[in-house]
Amino acid sequence: MKPALVTGASGFLGWHVARVLLERGYPVRALVRPGSRVDALDVERVAGDLRDPASLERAVAGCELLFHVAADYRLWAKDPGELYRSNVDGTRNLLQAAQDAGIERVVYTSTVGCIGMPPGGVGDELSPVSLHDMAGDYKRSKFHAEQVALEFAHAGLPVVIVNPTAPLGDHDVKPTPTGKIVLDFLNGDMPAFIDTGLNVVDVRDTALGHWQACERGRAGERYILGSENLTLAQILETLARITGRKAPTIRLPYLVAWCAGACSTAWAGVSGKPPRVPLDAVRMARKKMWVTHAKAARELGFSPAPAEQALSRAVEWFRGAGFLAAHLAAGPRPANLPSA
């Protein structure tokens, strides 16, 4: 069996995709930047960079499958051009290398942010959407990258696109912005909330959905990988039920959140340090990111667990991995985990 190349295997979702492939007997080659690790998985590490076409040619050589999960996932960057160079140019470089190498199947990981959100409704793969609907450089870069994937699919490369929602669960070592909601709740760093909504899904289900897309997905098609639509208040109430802690009861008006984001982001431009409240995150929160995974269920056999499982798994893992503040959880952080 030829190897499957996974980009982003040192990150949250990519790590789980690599695990799913290993469980199915595939040798996994992980494209990582020099110095990055893929903890606890028996994979072949290949150093490279999405912005370096020569390193990508070496990475895809001899591979049968490609799972392009890696992305520069930041809601603020001092140089926004970095997002486009990694997410758009990097995707083009990698898919060109895959096409030249004769890769048999490609799964490209997009984002639910590229799905149209009807006002007051639930989005699906056919909901109208345009670049104008994208809030911030991260979403805009991913929108352009998805168009690149579609271009290659229309030109004959067997690319299937998946659009994960908000995965949660174990091994969120960075953590992701969604994982940060859980961690902030656990550490008592969320005194208030805003009126927004997310579609929450267990990261293990999302990773399995990638494999199902590889097996059964139609080239050039998009598949939403999500589970339950919840308001942020409902998410916090579920976390309260799981942990026994009190959920915040103060709801911030959008204007107050916008002002906080504007000030925080302006200071980041001066200090060079990421803002505590990125303005793009506030802008995204104005819409409830609610979608349906009916197409993935119908065509791929995607059957995700309830959102509470994802939240419970995230809570358990953050606690066990030493991410809680010192006054809330005793014990040192394990040496093999990066700082939160």
Side-chain angles (χ1 to χ4, degrees):
M1 190 180 290
K2 294 181 181 179
L5 177 65
V6 178
T7 70
S10 60
F12 180 42
L13 179 53
W15 187 92
H16 283 276
V17 170
R19 179 187 55 78
V20 165
L21 291 167
L22 290 169
E23 289 174 351
R24 280 150 185 75
Y26 273 91
V28 173
R29 182 179 296 171
L31 178 72
V32 295
R33 289 186 176 183
S36 295
R37 298 177 299 179
V38 184
D39 292 334
L41 294 180
D42 183 15
V43 301
E44 174 193 0
R45 290 177 63 258
V46 177
D49 192 300
L50 293 172
R51 298 165 295 183
D52 177 7
S55 72
L56 303 180
E57 292 170 9
R58 293 191 295 269
V60 299
C63 289
E64 178 181 355
L65 307 175
L66 166 62
F67 292 80
H68 181 26
V69 188
D72 189 340
Y73 184 10
R74 290 180 289 168
L75 301 184
W76 177 87
K78 190 169 184 178
D79 175 12
E82 293 179 354
L83 300 174
Y84 296 90
R85 288 188 286 274
S86 293
N87 296 342
V88 185
D89 299 341
T91 296
R92 187 179 299 280
N93 294 338
L94 182 60
L95 295 186
Q96 185 63 59
Q99 187 175 66
D100 294 342
I103 294 289
E104 296 180 16
R105 193 72 158 167
V106 178
V107 177
Y108 168 68
T109 307
S110 184
T111 170
V112 72
C114 292
I115 298 294
M117 298 293 162
V122 174
D124 63 21
E125 292 84 353
L126 296 179
S127 299
V129 67
S130 69
L131 183 62
H132 177 73
D133 299 311
M134 301 296 110
D137 289 297
Y138 170 70
K139 276 194 177 182
R140 284 192 285 267
S141 70
K142 289 295 286 183
F143 182 86
H144 283 301
E146 188 178 273
Q147 298 308 304
V148 169
L150 288 169
E151 288 171 16
F152 273 88
H154 295 155
L157 184 66
V159 181
V160 181
I161 297 169
V162 292
N163 298 78
T165 57
L168 282 169
D170 57 287
H171 288 83
D172 191 359
V173 297
K174 199 170 185 177
T176 60
T178 312
K180 189 80 165 49
I181 293 174
V182 177
L183 189 57
D184 284 349
F185 178 90
L186 290 172
N187 282 328
D189 291 336
M190 188 176 287
F193 64 94
I194 60 176
D195 180 23
T196 189
L198 302 172
N199 182 289
V200 176
V201 63
D202 192 307
V203 68
R204 297 190 182 194
D205 289 329
T206 312
L208 179 58
H210 279 65
W211 171 248
Q212 293 169 325
C214 181
E215 277 194 308
R216 307 171 194 172
R218 291 180 287 141
E221 292 290 323
R222 302 191 298 165
Y223 296 92
I224 294 169
L225 301 181
S227 181
E228 285 190 67
N229 296 315
L230 299 171
T231 64
L232 181 54
Q234 289 173 319
I235 292 171
L236 298 175
E237 288 164 4
T238 303
L239 287 170
R241 186 167 62 251
I242 292 168
T243 64
R245 299 180 184 277
K246 290 185 178 180
T249 57
I250 301 172
R251 192 177 85 176
L252 286 180
Y254 177 78
L255 182 58
V256 174
W258 190 93
C259 291
C263 293
S264 182
T265 301
W267 175 245
V270 175
S271 67
K273 296 179 180 179
R276 170 71 177 169
V277 184
L279 183 56
D280 282 347
V282 177
R283 288 171 173 153
M284 290 179 191
R286 191 162 197 176
K287 289 184 180 178
K288 289 183 172 69
M289 304 293 288
W290 285 353
V291 293
T292 174
H293 62 273
K295 180 180 177 181
R298 185 174 62 250
E299 297 190 16
L300 308 181
F302 182 66
S303 181
E308 185 163 348
Q309 174 178 298
L311 289 161
S312 295
R313 201 189 301 279
V315 167
E316 180 181 1
W317 189 82
F318 281 130
R319 281 175 166 170
F323 276 77
L324 270 64
H327 67 285
L328 294 173
R333 184 187 309 280
N336 65 328
L337 292 176
S339 170

